[in-house]
C-alpha cells in the first residue's frame, strides 16, 4: 500500500517536528472528566480525586510485533491502543487516557502517519479514552510505537495477579487461539502474494480469525459485566501471551496450582476447522497462541451460580494447592503439566 | 566500549522476554507513598488523593537523539530519565514515577542493557521517583527508549505555557548553551578518534560543557525555590529545544510578545571561551542550542524584589503586548525578531 505511486505522498522531512506533531494532533479533544489538560503543554494534567490511577505501557516494533505487509496502518494504530487498554482492563480498571509515541523512518510519508493516527484516534473514540500526550520522531529503520495507558478504579475493585485461592474457579471471557490462527492465515497469504502478486485471496472462510488478529478488542465490558453479577474476581490477567503462560503467571504470583480442563477451553468453530486445514492441534494453539486479549480471572466457588450460565464467560478450570502443580486435564483424562511457553504433548506425555 | 572483547557478553536471545524483564527489574522497589503497586502486574496502581496527576512522555532514538560513540550507556539511561522529569518540573509539579520501555537490536549484549538500566535506576534514586512499569523488546536496528514520567502537584501550583501577561518578567534558572557546545566538543573528539584511535583526549577545559551534554539535570529544585520565595510563576516551560524556541512557545500560547535582552542571557565562562575556540557566536548558541533542561518562566512585576538578587535565577527580559512581537534586544540596542529555529543575524539585520 505504501508503494502505491498514485497516492499523494508528503515527505516527513518537509515538516518540522513541531509542525508534524501539531498536524497529527490538532483537533484532538479531551473528553474525559479526569482530563484537566491534554495535549499542548509539557505534560498533561489529570484529576482522579479519590480513585486510584492505573498505568501500563507497551512498545510495538515493526518486524517484531507487526508486519506492515498485511497489517494496514489504520489497523496497527487501533491494535496498538487496544493492547494497552487491555492491560488496564486486566486490573479491573477503566481506561481513561493514553499517550502515544511514534518513531518512523523517512520511508513513511505523512499520509502513512495520518493513516496510523486515524486508527489510534478511532480506538480512542470507541474506547472513550483521551489522547493526552505523545512524541513523534524519526527512526533509523522501521516504525516503533510506544503507548502508555492510564485508567481509574475504586481501590476495592482493583484486581491483581496475586489473590487467587486454592479453591477458586478459573474463568475467561470470549474464546482463545483465533488471533494466532489469523496470523497463520495472513502469513500464508503473504507468501502466496509474493509468488503471484495478482492473486486475489478469498479470505471469507477466515474472517473471524483475521479480524481477531488485525482488529482485536480489549474487554472493557468485563468490569461492568462482573459488577452487574456482583462478582469481585480474586485475580485477573489479560491473555496476551497465550492461555498457558497467563495461567502460570497467576499461579506463580498467587502461590496456587491449577487444573485446566481441555474440554472447557472455549474455541470458535472457525478456529477448529482452520486448525484442521493447517494440521495443527487446536488445544496447542489455544494454549500458546496469544494476542487474544480476553480476560482470565479467578472467582470464589460461592460465585459459581452467578456466572455458570453467563454466555460471556467460560469456567475452564479450578485452582488447587500450589504443591499440586499446574496441569492440563485432557479429554481422555490425562494430566499434563503446563509449561510457560506452552505445552508439548510429545515431550510431556 | 561495546566492542571490548574482554568483557563478558551474554546474548539477549539466550534469555526469554519475561526472563530479561525480570532480570533487569528484579530488585526495583517502590518508595513513593503514591505508589500502591509498582512493577509485576498488568499495570501499576497509584494514589494521588486530592493532588493532580501530571503525565509526560518522550522517545529517544539512537542515531537521532544520541550517539553511542560518545554517550556511555549509563549516561544515556540517566539522561533519558532526566529529560522526561524535566517536563514534569516544567509544569511546576513534582516527579513521582516513571515507566521505561526499551527496544534494542541483538547487537547489544545483556551487559549493555544492565549498564543502561543502572543509569536509569541511578536517576530514579537521585530524583526520588519509582520505576513502576515498562517493556523490553527487540528492535530491527539500534536502540529506542520511551519513557513516561508521572508527577503530582496541588492544583494551584500547576503552571502552564498559557498564563504569561504582557507586563510579566521573563526569568530562567541556570545558564544556557553549554549542552550544545558539549555536543560540539564530543563530535570533534569522535572525528579525532576515528582518525587516530590511540589519541588520549584531554577534555578538562571542556568539563562543564561535556557534563551538561552527557549528564544533564532536571530542575526539580525550582518548584521548592519558588515556593520559598512565595512566587507563583504565571507560565513555565523547560528549555529543551533552545531558549528562542521556548520563548516563542510561551508567547504563542499566552498571546503575548517579549523583549529578550542579549546582555542578560546567563552564559557560563567556559561556554564563552569554547565558542571563541569554535568561532561560534555565543548568543546564537544560547538561543538555539537546546538540551539545557533549565526552566524558563514568567512572573508578575510585583515579584521582582523577591527574585532579583537570587543566584539561582536570571531575569532575562519582559513580556509585552502580542502586537509588539518577540524580539532580541542586542548589546548595541538593536531589536531583532526571534525565530522558532533560532536567530540568524545576517538574515534579519
Amino acid at each position: 500500500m505504501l508503494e502505491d505511486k498514485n497516492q499523494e505522498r508528503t515527505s516527513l522531512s518537509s515538516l518540522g517536528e513541531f509542525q508534524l506533531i501539531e498536524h497529527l494532533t490538532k483537533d484532538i479533544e479531551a473528553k474525559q472528566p479526569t482530563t484537566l489538560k491534554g495535549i499542548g503543554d509539557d505534560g498533561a494534567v489529570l484529576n482522579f480525586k479519590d480513585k486510584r490511577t492505573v498505568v501500563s505501557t507497551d512498545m510495538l516494533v515493526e518486524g517484531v510485533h507487526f508486519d506492515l505487509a498485511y497489517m494496514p496502518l489504520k489497523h496497527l494504530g487501533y491494535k496498538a491502543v487496544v493492547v494497552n487498554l487491555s492491560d488496564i482492563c486486566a486490573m479491573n480498571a477503566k481506561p481513561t487516557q493514553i499517550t502515544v509515541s511514534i518513531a518512523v523512518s523517512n520511508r513513511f510519508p505523512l499520509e502513512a502517519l495520518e493513516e496510523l493516527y486515524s486508527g489510534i484516534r478511532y480506538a480512542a473514540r470507541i474506547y472513550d479514552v483521551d489522547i493526552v500526550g505523545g512524541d513523534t520522531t524519526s527512526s533509523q529503520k522501521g516504525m516503533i510505537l510506544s503507548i502508555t495507558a492510564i485508567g481509574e478504579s475504586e481501590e476495592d475493585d482493583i484486581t491483581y495477579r496475586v489473590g487467587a485461592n486454592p479453591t477458586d474457579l478459573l474463568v475467561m471471557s470470549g474464546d482463545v487461539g483465533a488471533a494466532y490462527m489469523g496470523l497463520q492465515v495472513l502469513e500464508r497469504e503473504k507468501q502466496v502474494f509474493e509468488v503471484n502478486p495478482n492473486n486475489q485471496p478469498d479470505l471469507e472462510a477466515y474472517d473471524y480469525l483475521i479480524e481477531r488478529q488485525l482488529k482485536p478488542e480489549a474487554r472493557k465490558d468485563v468490569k461492568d459485566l462482573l459488577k452487574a453479577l456482583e462478582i469481585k474476581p480474586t485475580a485477573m490477567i489479560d491473555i496476551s501471551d497465550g492461555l498457558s503462560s497467563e495461567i502460570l503467571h497467576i499461579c506463580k504470583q498467587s502461590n496456587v496450582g491449577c487444573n485446566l480442563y481441555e474440554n472447557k477451553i472455549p474455541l470458535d468453530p472457525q478456529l477448529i476447522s482452520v486448525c484442521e486445514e493447517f494440521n495443527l492441534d487446536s488445544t496447542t494453539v489455544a494454549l500458546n497462541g496469544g494476542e487474544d486479549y480476553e480476560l482470565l480471572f479467578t472467582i470464589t466457588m460461592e460465585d459459581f451460580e452467578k456466572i455458570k450460565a453467563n454466555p460471556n464467560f467460560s469456567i475452564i478450570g479450578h485452582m488447587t494447592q500450589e504443591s499440586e502443580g499446574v496441569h492440563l486435564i485432557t479429554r481422555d483424562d490425562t494430566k499434563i503439566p503446563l509449561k510457560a511457553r506452552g505445552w508439548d504433548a510429545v515431550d510431556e506425555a
Side-chain angles (χ1 to χ4, degrees), chain A:
Chain A
M1 188 187 72
L2 290 172
E3 309 307 324
D4 183 348
K5 294 292 187 285
N6 294 321
Q7 285 194 315
E8 205 179 326
R9 291 172 64 102
T10 310
S11 154
L12 286 185
S13 52
S14 70
L15 292 164
E17 189 193 329
F18 293 134
Q19 247 191 304
L20 174 61
I21 293 175
E22 202 173 299
H23 177 82
L24 292 173
T25 63
K26 62 177 180 296
D27 50 352
I28 289 178
E29 283 171 40
K31 291 178 182 168
Q32 280 288 328
T34 48
T35 308
L36 301 186
K37 168 80 187 176
I39 286 173
D41 215 298
D42 296 291
V45 181
L46 316 176
N47 180 14
F48 291 105
K49 294 180 188 152
D50 52 342
K51 293 200 177 175
R52 301 300 163 265
T53 311
V54 181
V55 179
S56 183
T57 196
D58 250 319
M59 203 174 227
L60 297 179
V61 179
E62 184 182 351
V64 179
H65 301 100
F66 58 90
D67 183 337
L68 291 175
Y70 45 71
M71 177 62 111
L73 282 162
K74 189 172 177 180
H75 283 75
L76 173 63
Y78 190 89
K79 183 169 176 174
V81 174
V82 162
V83 304
N84 275 277
L85 300 186
S86 180
D87 281 321
I88 302 296
C89 297
M91 300 298 289
N92 205 26
K94 180 187 156 213
T96 46
Q97 286 91 7
I98 53 170
T99 67
V100 178
S101 292
I102 302 171
V104 280
S105 75
N106 56 16
R107 89 166 201 263
F108 294 94
L110 175 64
E111 289 71 21
L113 269 185
E114 286 175 336
E115 191 68 13
L116 179 74
Y117 242 87
S118 75
I120 290 170
R121 294 164 74 153
Y122 184 59
R125 197 164 73 241
I126 294 290
Y127 284 92
D128 194 21
V129 299
D130 291 340
I131 303 169
V132 296
D135 201 4
T136 306
T137 184
S138 45
S139 77
Q140 289 188 298
K141 189 177 179 192
M143 180 182 281
I144 299 103
L145 289 166
S146 176
I147 293 185
T148 297
I150 299 167
E152 64 175 26
S153 181
E154 303 290 345
E155 176 151 32
D156 287 346
D157 287 340
I158 293 178
T159 309
Y160 297 96
R161 296 176 181 180
V162 181
N165 302 301
T167 55
D168 285 351
L169 300 174
L170 183 67
V171 186
M172 62 168 286
S173 63
D175 55 72
V176 273
Y180 175 81
M181 281 314 293
L183 184 63
Q184 303 314 306
V185 170
L186 289 167
E187 287 191 340
R188 186 178 66 180
E189 290 309 317
K190 183 186 171 186
Q191 283 164 11
V192 171
F193 179 83
E194 279 165 0
V195 175
N196 178 8
N198 294 316
N199 181 60
Q200 285 293 323
D202 179 8
L203 297 174
E204 207 181 300
Y206 313 102
D207 59 350
Y208 178 69
L209 306 183
I210 291 171
E211 179 155 0
R212 292 284 279 179
Q213 171 59 225
L214 293 186
K215 193 165 171 288
E217 303 291 352
R219 295 303 303 257
K220 196 193 172 186
D221 56 328
V222 165
K223 181 181 166 83
D224 294 334
L225 288 170
L226 291 175
K227 200 120 207 172
L229 295 172
E230 294 180 346
I231 291 175
K232 161 88 206 283
T234 52
M236 193 184 256
I237 194 168
D238 69 326
I239 305 175
S240 53
D241 295 309
L243 182 59
S244 177
S245 175
E246 314 304 353
I247 290 173
L248 284 157
H249 277 306
I250 287 183
C251 287
K252 187 180 172 192
Q253 296 202 27
S254 295
N255 298 314
V256 292
C258 180
N259 285 331
L260 168 70
Y261 293 89
E262 185 180 16
N263 64 351
K264 301 288 187 189
I265 300 172
L267 305 177
D268 188 84
Q270 197 171 88
L271 175 81
I272 295 169
S273 68
V274 176
C275 278
E276 278 170 21
E277 182 187 332
F278 276 71
N279 205 17
L280 288 171
D281 177 62
S282 60
T283 301
T284 308
V285 168
L287 287 176
N288 306 333
E291 295 203 282
D292 290 302
Y293 302 107
E294 295 294 340
L295 294 179
L296 176 74
F297 55 95
T298 54
I299 61 172
T300 62
M301 277 210 292
E302 289 79 63
D303 288 333
F304 173 70
E305 291 296 330
K306 298 178 191 167
I307 208 168
K308 68 173 184 186
N310 195 300
N312 294 291
F313 302 114
S314 304
I315 301 169
I316 58 175
H318 63 84
M319 311 321 277
T320 62
Q321 293 296 331
E322 189 175 18
S323 56
E324 293 183 37
V326 185
H327 293 93
L328 176 75
I329 313 297
T330 63
R331 284 192 188 84
D332 61 7
D333 225 20
T334 312
K335 210 169 171 179
I336 300 174
L338 277 188
K339 292 204 295 189
R341 278 288 160 202
W343 160 70
D344 187 332
V346 181
D347 270 15
E348 299 288 340

